[in-house]
């Protein structure tokens, strides 16, 4: 779904209280009764003011009724959850303005945003169930009875888990975006001005880049972690320019991989750890052979050998970070079941995971420059692979200049 913030400026303090009341009531109700909304919102104007706010929120599709409901009640929509998250980020001064969408995945949206100083950042909005709503006719065990509410619950878990790992990895010196804030199903992180590996058509030394990717993956393993989706979609390739300390002139370009997308990250102790480890490594090998015609001369690395290095040589084990973040084992199992089911459905019915016409067209009213911006910044876009068009590492450092920077933020609305 498209993030439309135009209605935010028109919502009153009472509207926000009623919206928060619906969210609170959704924890125990598939459809939140009006009486509970009135009780949780605690508006001085009573039921008449609550009814007015409900009408406003329903017109903007932030809450919705359910067909054939047995009582008068409302449910929170993904749009309502978006607004609540943005409202929190705005109050904490993490987000001041929202720009264009720079990436869209099957289970998330990537937005360009800015804080009060004008610094550009990335807002990742988890949307688990976007594809499953279109492909699954019956609710899964982990969805309980409330399909839409459970998908929001799982999206919130995914964001919470990703933020926990992102924070731990950043603190450990792993090249990842800098985590800034987390609210509900959203994460605010630093903008990485780099294309995903899938868009790179040529590099000066494929062997060196392959070695750096494997070395980075083994660093994760030594911390006790397996990425679980380590491929060309979730690796950004940043060009770092070293300068001469004497005259400040550029001397050399270094290709630095930056890892993104962590909801599926698991421990090296996981029951299926070896399978995920081998799959991640093979994804990189297959991509390099197909794209750069490079094939490593030595086999491996192998899970059994790498597991012996976990926690050694001064590497802190980070696989306990998930539990430390407050996510219980049951929450982790729910999220893992959703991700696993998503992967199985994609294998069984890949056509259903192609972008729908609505998903392709819902940004037609955005700026014309968005097509160019979609090739920049953080993205976990997993739509069908486009033809690679970016050549990196070959340019003369002196020719890079200011063109490395992102374009000026196109502000749609203030939050």
């Amino acid at each position: 779904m498209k993030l439309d913030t135009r209605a935010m400026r028109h919502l009153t303090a009472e509207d926000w209280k009623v919206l928060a009341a619906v969210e609170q009531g959704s924890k125990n109700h598939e459809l939140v009764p009006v009486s509970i909304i009135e009780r949780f919102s605690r508006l001085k104007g009573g039921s008449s003011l609550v009814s007015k706010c409900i009408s406003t929120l329903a017109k903007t599709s932030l809450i919705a009724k359910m067909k054939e409901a047995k009582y008068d009640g409302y449910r929170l929509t993904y749009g309502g959850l978006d607004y609540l998250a943005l409202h929190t980020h705005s109050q904490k001064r993490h987000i001041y303005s929202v720009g264009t969408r720079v990436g869209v995945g099957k289970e998330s949206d990537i937005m360009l945003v800015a804080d009060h100083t004008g610094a550009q950042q990335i807002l990742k909005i988890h949307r688990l169930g976007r594809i499953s709503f279109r492909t699954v006719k019956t609710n899964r065990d982990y969805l309980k009875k409330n399909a839409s509410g459970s998908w929001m619950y799982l999206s919130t878990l995914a964001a919470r888990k990703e933020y926990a790992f992102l924070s731990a990895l950043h603190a450990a010196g792993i090249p990842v975006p800098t985590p800034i804030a987390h609210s509900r199903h959203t994460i605010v992180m630093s903008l990485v001005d780099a294309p995903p590996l899938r868009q790179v058509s040529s590099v000066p030394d494929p062997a060196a880049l392959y070695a750096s990717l494997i070395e980075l993956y083994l660093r994760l393993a030594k911390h006790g972690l397996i990425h679980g989706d380590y491929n060309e979609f979730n690796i950004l390739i940043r060009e770092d320019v070293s300068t001469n300390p004497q005259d400040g002139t550029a001397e050399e370009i270094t290709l630095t991989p930056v890892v993104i997308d962590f909801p599926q990250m698991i421990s090296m102790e996981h029951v299926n750890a070896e399978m995920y480890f081998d799959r991640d490594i093979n994804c990189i090998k297959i991509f390099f052979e197909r794209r750069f015609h490079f094939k490593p001369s030595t086999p491996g690395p192998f899970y059994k050998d790498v597991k012996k290095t976990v926690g050694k040589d001064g590497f802190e084990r980070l696989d306990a970070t998930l539990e430390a973040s407050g996510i219980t084992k049951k929450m982790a199992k729910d999220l893992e079941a959703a991700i696993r089911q998503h992967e199985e459905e994609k294998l069984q019915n890949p056509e259903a995971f192609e972008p729908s016409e609505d998903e392709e067209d819902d940004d037609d009213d955005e700026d014309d420059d968005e097509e160019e911006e979609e090739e920049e910044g953080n993205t976990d876009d997993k739509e069908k692979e486009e033809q690679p068009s970016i050549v990196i590492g070959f340019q003369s450092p002196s020719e890079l200049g200011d063109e490395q920077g992102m374009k000026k933020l196109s502000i749609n609305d203030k939050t």
Side-chain angles (χ1 to χ4, degrees):
M1 63 173 292
K2 178 181 174 182
L3 178 63
D4 186 354
T5 62
R6 288 176 295 183
M8 289 192 72
R9 65 177 65 186
H10 303 298
L11 296 184
T12 65
E14 290 76 16
D15 292 331
W16 287 112
K17 289 182 179 180
V18 170
L19 186 59
V22 176
E23 179 190 33
Q24 184 180 354
S26 298
K27 297 177 181 178
N28 297 313
H29 296 82
E30 179 180 4
L31 195 64
V32 186
V34 173
S35 59
I36 291 183
I37 298 176
E38 292 177 357
R39 177 159 37 113
F40 285 169
S41 60
R42 298 179 180 178
L43 297 187
K44 294 181 179 180
S47 58
S48 61
L49 181 56
V50 171
S51 297
K52 180 181 177 181
C53 294
I54 287 177
S55 177
T56 299
L57 297 174
K59 287 179 181 178
T60 51
S61 300
L62 303 182
I63 60 175
K65 278 192 171 184
M66 292 184 66
K67 295 180 179 180
E68 301 179 359
K70 296 181 180 180
Y71 57 89
D72 189 19
Y74 293 84
R75 64 174 179 83
L76 186 69
T77 65
Y78 254 125
L81 194 65
D82 290 347
Y83 269 40
L84 287 168
L86 286 173
H87 188 58
T88 298
H89 288 310
S90 177
Q91 287 184 318
K92 295 183 178 180
R93 301 178 68 84
H94 294 136
I95 293 180
Y96 177 75
S97 56
V98 178
T100 54
R101 187 172 69 179
V102 295
V104 54
K106 293 308 176 187
E107 304 291 355
S108 65
D109 286 331
I110 311 298
M111 305 293 300
L112 188 64
V113 299
D115 62 14
H116 285 70
T117 68
Q120 295 175 342
Q121 301 169 157
I122 286 296
L123 172 69
K124 181 173 182 178
I125 308 173
H126 285 266
R127 300 199 189 282
L128 266 69
R130 171 156 57 191
I131 296 301
S132 297
F133 277 135
R134 200 167 72 214
T135 59
V136 181
K137 300 297 183 182
T138 58
N139 297 339
R140 304 297 176 182
D141 291 340
Y142 54 82
L143 291 182
K144 302 178 182 179
K145 295 181 179 180
N146 183 2
S148 61
S150 292
W151 283 121
M152 293 181 197
Y153 160 75
L154 291 170
S155 295
T156 300
L157 284 187
R160 187 173 176 180
K161 178 181 179 181
E162 180 165 23
Y163 186 76
F165 277 128
L166 193 60
S167 300
L169 292 171
H170 183 264
I174 302 294
V176 297
T178 303
I180 297 173
H182 158 248
S183 176
R184 297 171 175 85
H185 63 317
T186 66
I187 300 174
V188 180
M189 63 186 81
S190 64
L191 172 67
V192 179
D193 185 9
L197 179 59
R198 68 182 176 86
Q199 292 182 352
V200 177
S201 61
S202 182
V203 294
D205 190 350
L209 181 57
Y210 172 83
S212 66
L213 291 177
I214 296 301
E215 188 274 335
L216 176 56
Y217 193 82
L218 296 182
R219 283 178 64 188
L220 291 174
K222 288 182 178 180
H223 283 295
L225 299 172
I226 292 176
H227 186 278
D229 201 13
Y230 196 68
N231 54 45
E232 65 271 23
F233 295 94
N234 295 323
I235 301 171
L236 309 179
I237 306 299
R238 187 181 66 210
E239 293 179 295
D240 293 334
V241 181
S242 61
T243 57
N244 188 316
Q246 295 181 349
D247 56 16
T249 59
E251 289 187 336
E252 182 182 3
I253 297 176
T254 302
L255 300 183
T256 303
V258 180
V259 190
I260 60 174
D261 199 22
F262 305 100
Q264 67 291 320
M265 183 168 275
I266 61 172
S267 169
M268 283 286 285
E269 305 296 334
H270 190 277
V271 63
N272 296 321
E274 185 170 5
M275 182 273 289
Y276 285 109
F277 181 94
D278 291 341
R279 188 179 70 175
D280 281 352
I281 296 297
N282 286 333
C283 279
I284 298 301
K285 289 183 177 181
I286 291 172
F287 176 81
F288 268 72
E289 185 173 0
R290 183 180 71 244
R291 177 64 54 81
F292 305 124
H293 308 292
F294 169 80
K295 191 172 183 179
S297 57
T298 57
F302 300 105
Y303 172 79
K304 293 181 180 178
D305 297 329
V306 176
K307 189 176 180 182
K308 299 176 183 177
T309 68
V310 175
K312 302 292 181 62
D313 301 325
F315 281 81
E316 178 187 0
R317 294 200 61 154
L318 301 178
D319 46 349
T321 300
L322 181 58
E323 292 186 14
S325 68
I327 297 181
T328 65
K329 291 182 178 180
K330 181 182 181 302
M331 291 177 180
K333 288 182 179 179
D334 286 345
L335 180 57
E336 185 179 337
I339 294 174
R340 184 173 61 250
Q341 186 63 49
H342 174 269
E343 293 176 347
E344 292 174 356
E345 289 162 3
K346 187 173 182 179
L347 290 174
Q348 295 172 2
N349 189 15
E351 292 81 8
F353 284 75
E354 295 298 331
S356 65
E357 292 182 0
D358 291 339
E359 288 170 342
E360 290 178 334
D361 298 338
D362 67 357
D363 277 346
D364 286 347
D365 59 345
E366 298 279 356
D367 292 339
D368 293 335
D369 291 337
E370 183 172 351
E371 283 187 49
E372 296 177 14
E373 292 189 73
E374 284 182 351
E375 293 183 3
E376 300 175 309
N378 304 30
T379 174
D380 62 349
D381 182 4
K382 297 194 177 178
E383 297 177 358
K384 58 184 179 181
E385 184 174 355
E386 60 195 53
Q387 290 297 319
S389 59
I390 299 177
V391 177
I392 58 177
F394 290 98
Q395 299 100 319
S396 169
S398 61
E399 296 176 354
L400 290 176
D402 295 334
E403 293 181 359
Q404 295 184 89
M406 291 289 290
K407 295 180 180 180
K408 184 179 180 181
L409 177 65
S410 175
I411 299 177
N412 291 340
D413 198 358
K414 296 181 180 179
T415 55

